Amino acid sequence: MLIHITPRSACRSSEITTETAYLSRRHFMAGTGLLLAGAAFPSLATETASRYEGVTPAPVPAWLAPKLAKTQWRTTEVSGEAITPFRDASQYNNFYEFGPEKRDPATHAHQLPTEPWSLIIDGEVAKPGRYALEDLFSPFTLQERIYRMRCVEAWSMVIPWLGFPLAELLKRVEPTSSAHYVGFETLNDPEHMPGIRSRFALINWPYVEGLRLDEAMHPLTLLAVGMYGRVLPNQNGAPLRLVVPWKYGFKSIKSIVRISLLSTQPRTTWQSMAPQEYGFYANVNPDVSHPRWSQAQERRLPNGVFSSNVRPTLVFNGYADEVASLYKGMDLKKDY
Amino acid sequence: MAQPLWRCGVFMLALLPLLFWFYQAQQGLLGPDPGKVLLEHLGEGALILMLLTLSLTPLQRITLWSGWSLIRRQLGLWCFCYASLHLMSYLAFLLNFDFSRLNHELWERPYILLGFGAWLILLLLSLTSNAFSRRKLGKNWKLLHRLLYLGLVLALLHLLLILRSDFGSWMLYAGVGLILILNRLFGLRSP
């Protein structure tokens, strides 16, 4: 399915100036050059290595290679916004399984074996089972989605993901009529995940997340296997992660090993640790503060000591036109 | 060791992290959100300096070397300097100098209030750290400057409330702080 963006969720052209303000001249020139080259030589458009500047190349898993060649590029855009450099998106991460600091995931995640990988699908489905990644995804076409990513910590990025709508996968395993929620679980592998071994970590592993079934079936909800035209770096959740662009980043669970269709709302990791701070819905909402900081604004990364790059946070992270109807009649201050 | 040399060395050591972080920020080595990193470094630095300042008297008693007390005022002032830069970074990088938000944040977020309280104590102690105040306040000066222990407790709570998942380094700081406080309450008194 091809998703065409509605004009209002796309960034307004007035945002262009503020966004380019922090870009170095060099970066700006290089970006322009790439665009021009892309226009002059259409064949470049399928050349994944050159799509984005400064991307660390990675070997493509055998099952992904043929899919990559047939990718539908840029099925959603965020016009007028600069894409966050790959280096920042891949070295500034929250992935507590690899440690509490932003650099920990990039430092430790390379040890994680991501092949072979299998996904357990269970609960309220007609076709439960343990699926190998390559079998599960064989019928689907890769799509590139450029999404804003808003972290609950009040920073944000713009990231080009590669993946499939979660809905396609769910339809394939056929949820039963009593399936109302979807639960997700991250790999729990102390041997390769030093954060899990830390005695001072408060998280009850494995990390679990959840969505309402209609949220999970929404066309914007993505199961990502790649970003920036390449396979996902481990620290970004390889080989398989969720991306729900209208929710705070912690909902977009990484390195998924289990998807469960459920009849009742699952209790999620952050929600059980601090329910007054992290709700089940966790929709991006400038009007509902995190108890420890305001969510009215966000720092668009990268920023600098002399360019804070602060911008107002948008309701549903700017995707209100697409998703607001999911929450009709709900008090979003109560169901945060 | 010659006194001026010792004091000068401590001065350089305390200044060095600031220069290093400034250099890192300049070179883009602090990652995509350098303001936040500076903020955290400065806060942690202030806490460490606070612990060091409070360690000097016990150290002097243990080692019987009078050099420790020679740097107490200096370290206390460095602590205030780091804490002030930490506060400045908060205003600049997180509030974007939107002072209308400060009042709201101060009362809505207990950890901001705790941190601000700790900074006010440091401000008061810095203002009264000169020889004149010391003479003027007489016996009360010592009592007043024991407020640093309260400042330490506020700072530790301030940090505790903002931590999200890993308490490793907080436990270390709190452990050292607890030893210092217990020593102050029940430890050996100076003759």
Side-chain angles (χ1 to χ4, degrees):
Chain A
M1 181 164 46
L2 253 173
I3 308 305
H4 294 285
I5 42 120
T6 54
R8 274 175 64 194
S9 73
C11 300
R12 277 155 284 143
S13 55
S14 60
E15 290 172 280
I16 299 176
T17 354
T18 48
E19 194 57 41
T20 47
Y22 74 83
L23 286 176
S24 73
R25 183 181 157 76
R26 190 176 146 269
H27 188 165
F28 179 67
M29 295 299 282
T32 316
L34 201 70
L35 270 177
L36 288 177
F41 308 100
S43 63
L44 273 178
T46 51
E47 189 75 58
T48 58
S50 62
R51 287 189 76 82
Y52 297 100
E53 205 195 346
V55 176
T56 318
V60 185
W63 66 275
L64 193 63
K67 299 207 159 287
L68 210 50
K70 290 188 201 143
T71 301
Q72 296 170 340
W73 296 103
R74 297 194 172 228
T75 56
T76 63
E77 291 275 356
V78 279
S79 54
E81 292 215 59
I83 287 172
T84 303
F86 173 79
R87 185 172 175 273
D88 296 327
S90 62
Q91 303 211 354
Y92 191 81
N93 308 102
N94 279 325
F95 199 163
Y96 285 84
E97 283 81 343
F98 293 105
E101 304 293 331
K102 294 284 183 290
R103 290 187 76 95
D104 287 341
T107 309
H108 301 297
H110 63 90
Q111 309 157 358
L112 183 73
T114 58
E115 261 189 298
W117 192 274
S118 60
L119 180 67
I120 294 172
I121 299 183
D122 58 9
E124 304 290 338
V125 282
K127 297 177 177 170
R130 177 188 282 271
Y131 295 89
L133 219 52
E134 53 269 39
D135 301 334
L136 203 60
F137 290 144
S138 58
F140 309 142
T141 306
L142 265 187
Q143 293 182 23
E144 185 180 51
R145 301 274 183 93
I146 302 175
Y147 283 157
R148 284 175 287 262
M149 152 74 85
R150 171 64 157 78
C151 179
V152 72
E153 298 166 339
W155 53 267
S156 61
M157 295 182 177
V158 178
I159 298 172
W161 302 104
L162 285 171
F164 319 87
L166 174 62
E168 288 187 14
L169 176 75
L170 293 180
K171 279 176 200 154
R172 221 189 137 194
V173 295
E174 295 170 20
T176 67
S177 59
S178 45
H180 303 303
Y181 293 90
V182 187
F184 303 87
E185 190 180 305
T186 296
L187 177 73
N188 183 1
D189 177 1
E191 189 193 336
H192 296 105
M193 293 172 147
I196 293 181
R197 297 199 300 266
S198 164
R199 265 181 284 163
F200 297 108
L202 291 183
I203 294 176
N204 207 355
W205 316 102
Y207 188 81
V208 288
E209 257 307 335
L211 294 174
R212 226 167 51 191
L213 186 62
D214 57 345
E215 297 175 320
M217 296 297 285
H218 193 279
L220 283 177
T221 304
L222 195 73
L223 268 182
V225 295
M227 65 186 215
Y228 294 82
R230 52 156 277 176
V231 69
L232 278 176
N234 286 358
Q235 61 268 33
N236 293 84
L240 179 67
R241 68 168 295 170
L242 190 66
V243 182
V244 192
W246 71 92
K247 292 176 180 285
Y248 292 119
F250 68 86
K251 294 295 288 184
S252 293
I253 185 170
K254 294 171 169 178
S255 303
I256 301 169
V257 292
R258 182 193 294 267
I259 297 180
S260 309
L261 279 291
L262 307 163
S263 55
T264 54
Q265 183 176 304
R267 197 142 175 82
T268 65
T269 293
W270 286 108
Q271 190 193 7
S272 26
M273 278 176 67
Q276 71 287 2
E277 300 187 353
Y278 309 99
F280 174 79
Y281 288 96
N283 292 318
V284 175
N285 190 342
D287 301 325
V288 177
S289 283
H290 184 283
R292 288 180 281 164
W293 55 82
S294 159
Q295 297 288 28
Q297 296 180 312
E298 66 200 57
R299 304 187 302 285
R300 177 58 57 82
L301 306 187
N303 63 14
V305 175
F306 299 111
S307 53
S308 55
N309 218 14
V310 170
R311 56 169 63 208
T313 288
L314 306 171
V315 179
F316 294 113
N317 202 21
Y319 299 95
D321 281 359
E322 289 92 333
V323 302
S325 59
L326 293 173
Y327 309 101
K328 216 171 271 170
M330 282 174 59
D331 181 359
L332 294 175
K333 290 198 190 230
K334 226 177 81 215
D335 286 313
Y336 52 84
Chain B
M1 200 187 318
Q3 272 192 28
L5 200 66
W6 165 233
R7 285 178 156 158
C8 204
V10 170
F11 184 91
M12 297 309 288
L13 273 177
L15 179 64
L16 214 59
L18 295 182
L19 294 177
F20 180 59
W21 296 333
F22 184 71
Y23 164 80
Q24 283 186 312
Q26 278 286 311
Q27 298 291 309
L29 299 173
L30 294 183
D33 200 0
K36 185 83 187 297
V37 179
L38 277 179
L39 173 91
E40 289 170 1
H41 282 354
L42 288 163
E44 196 165 8
L47 180 58
I48 291 172
L49 281 162
M50 205 183 264
L51 291 169
L52 283 174
T53 308
L54 288 172
S55 307
L56 295 174
T57 305
L59 271 177
Q60 179 152 344
R61 226 165 274 150
I62 293 164
T63 61
L64 301 173
W65 183 52
S66 63
W68 298 115
S69 65
L70 291 175
I71 57 166
R72 190 165 51 190
R73 174 161 61 190
Q74 189 193 151
L75 282 192
L77 287 171
W78 273 118
C79 174
F80 174 63
C81 169
Y82 275 61
S84 300
L85 289 169
H86 174 64
L87 176 62
M88 285 281 290
S89 312
Y90 169 69
L91 295 175
F93 305 130
L94 295 198
L95 291 192
N96 204 26
F97 290 119
D98 184 351
F99 288 100
S100 60
R101 282 172 68 191
L102 178 63
N103 190 39
H104 179 78
E105 296 290 303
L106 212 49
W107 302 111
E108 282 291 304
R109 329 253 179 246
Y111 78 99
I112 301 280
L113 198 61
L114 286 168
F116 197 69
W119 180 79
L120 283 179
I121 288 176
L122 289 173
L123 173 69
L124 180 68
L125 301 193
S126 299
L127 289 175
T128 58
S129 65
N130 51 70
F132 173 76
S133 304
R134 190 165 193 161
R135 263 201 321 276
K136 203 82 182 156
L137 286 165
K139 271 187 177 170
N140 292 328
W141 188 88
K142 223 172 183 171
L143 271 172
L144 178 70
H145 279 247
R146 278 185 197 150
L147 274 179
L148 191 54
Y149 287 97
L150 177 62
L152 175 66
V153 172
L154 294 183
L156 283 169
L157 288 175
H158 167 72
L159 178 60
L160 180 67
L161 287 179
I162 198 70
L163 284 179
R164 295 181 84 197
S165 103
D166 204 297
F167 287 74
S169 52
W170 187 86
M171 299 281 272
L172 179 69
Y173 298 138
V176 174
L178 187 67
I179 291 170
L180 289 170
I181 290 168
L182 289 177
N183 177 65
R184 173 65 246 169
L185 292 175
F186 309 112
L188 290 169
R189 291 280 186 279
S190 34

